[in-house]
Amino acid sequence: MLILLYNILQSLAIIILWPLLLVVIFRKKKYGSRMLSRFGLGLPSLAPVNKAKVKTYWLHALSVGEITSAAPLLAALRQHWPECRIVVTVTTTSGEKLARTLLVHSVDHILPAPLDFRPTVYHYMKIIQPDMYIHVETDFWPNLLTMMRAKSIPTILVNGRISSQSLKSYNKYRFFFSPIFNSFDHLCMQTEQDRTNMLAFGIARTKILTLGNLKFDTPAVKNQGNSEIQSLLPKEKKILTAGSTHPGEEKLIITVYSRLKHSHNDLFLVIVPRNPDRAAEIATLASDAGIKARFRSENTQDSISDLLIVDTIGELIDVYRASWAAFVGGSLVPTGGHNPIEPALFGIPVLFGPHMEDFSEIASALIKSGGGTSVHDIESLQSCIQKFLDEEPVRLQQGKSAREYVEKQQGVIDKHLNLIRSLL
């Protein structure tokens, strides 16, 4: 009954708002260039396969963060079942662009995600013919999941997370979200707290598994080859990286950096904003503080700039690899924080603010292990970086502890592969 009401309201909205939707879609390049495909028009035909021998996995991801999270799992699927067909759908333009670079050796097809209209979803399913549907983290759509269930296609949520704040929001619209979560065969959550929150939402205990965060098994540490962006970083400098930053954070970070740089000329700052379109805004903040910035997209290395602003997508992990210490953004402002696992992978100290609600269990564990530090304001951030500058053994030990914490959590991919094997 709920899905019927959803489709009726959806149809009415399209009938009433279609002129406005057309204007928005075709005036904005990032929408117009993919919208026809998202309606299911012009999709490539996938060669038929022997379904008795070749399984087709359909993995759906919202954007850049979800693609990055899914990459280790997709690589493992390809390694363990090389004959399988893997189709990835991505909602955002930036996510699809990254997928076409990051997943080139892992997947067979990358498509724009379908809009959640029944005819469109039906067309996608007819083309892909999935044997399993794997959904990464978020971006839930009722028609897609309902149709999977109707056709008895196994569905799993991977890297699931639900913060206490999200739980409150879901509870307000329980009538909508409860059927969505219950439509999955299994919900693979990142942490025990995520599992507890899902239980509190009323999801059946047998559906919920705590398998960990896929990023714990990111193979990036083993791939030490120099990337293009690493060649742009000054080799003789101590690279301090502020990753996935949000408005309100860059000014604090730049202020701390400008203070420390007076006595530590070997310090170099890299800022990787969550939204690359804010690069010019950040450069203005730097100029106001007397800091000369350059952009990653300029693809140049000079000896006079003090700051590199990464205005590209998908290169944060390569910057972390070359870093001396890292600050994880979205945490000094109340946005829930971002994943601290990637910098910890490379054995560097991990700093973050008090707003790590979306990764509270991982952040707490990093602090307890001695690999992470929570900073609350400009003074505590400066004090912590100053200590690393003055006491190199302290920095090295914290980085070592961060890496050891990650290594103890590894094995997440094997748990997911075992689950997938059991469902087919």
Side-chain angles (χ1 to χ4, degrees), residues 63-89:
S63 192
V64 170
E66 291 76 19
I67 286 294
T68 305
S69 296
L73 177 60
L74 291 166
L77 285 173
R78 175 59 68 213
Q79 181 181 355
H80 283 74
W81 295 290
E83 76 286 351
C84 74
R85 179 161 67 184
I86 303 175
V87 180
V88 172
T89 56

Side-chain angles (χ1 to χ4, degrees), residues 324-326 343-344 346-352 366-367 369-375 384-385 387-388 391-405:
W324 171 85
F346 299 106
I348 58 174
V350 184
L351 312 179
F352 38 76
L366 264 174
I367 293 171
S369 73
T373 302
S374 180
V375 295
C384 189
I385 299 172
K387 188 167 187 177
F388 293 154
E391 302 178 44
E392 178 68 1
V394 171
R395 186 193 71 86
L396 291 173
Q397 181 55 54
Q398 185 163 328
K400 181 173 180 287
S401 297
R403 178 180 288 176
E404 287 174 348
Y405 163 70

Side-chain angles (χ1 to χ4, degrees), residues 209-227:
L209 304 171
T210 306
L211 299 190
N213 192 307
L214 292 169
K215 284 192 175 181
F216 281 125
D217 283 356
T218 300
V221 175
K222 301 173 185 176
N223 301 331
Q224 296 286 355
N226 289 330
S227 68

Side-chain angles (χ1 to χ4, degrees), residues 129-182:
Q129 296 186 31
D131 294 290
M132 174 171 284
Y133 177 74
I134 303 171
H135 194 104
V136 187
E137 294 189 26
T138 184
D139 197 32
F140 307 107
W141 294 106
N143 277 326
L144 179 59
L145 291 165
T146 300
M147 204 168 291
M148 292 287 176
R149 190 175 184 84
K151 292 183 176 293
S152 299
I153 296 168
T155 58
I156 61 173
L157 171 70
V158 300
N159 245 37
R161 56 186 171 92
I162 175 170
S163 67
S164 298
Q165 188 60 43
S166 296
L167 181 60
K168 293 177 183 176
S169 299
Y170 287 147
N171 273 321
K172 289 180 182 178
Y173 305 99
R174 180 182 287 264
F175 69 94
F176 181 79
F177 286 106
S178 182
I180 287 178
F181 289 134
N182 274 307

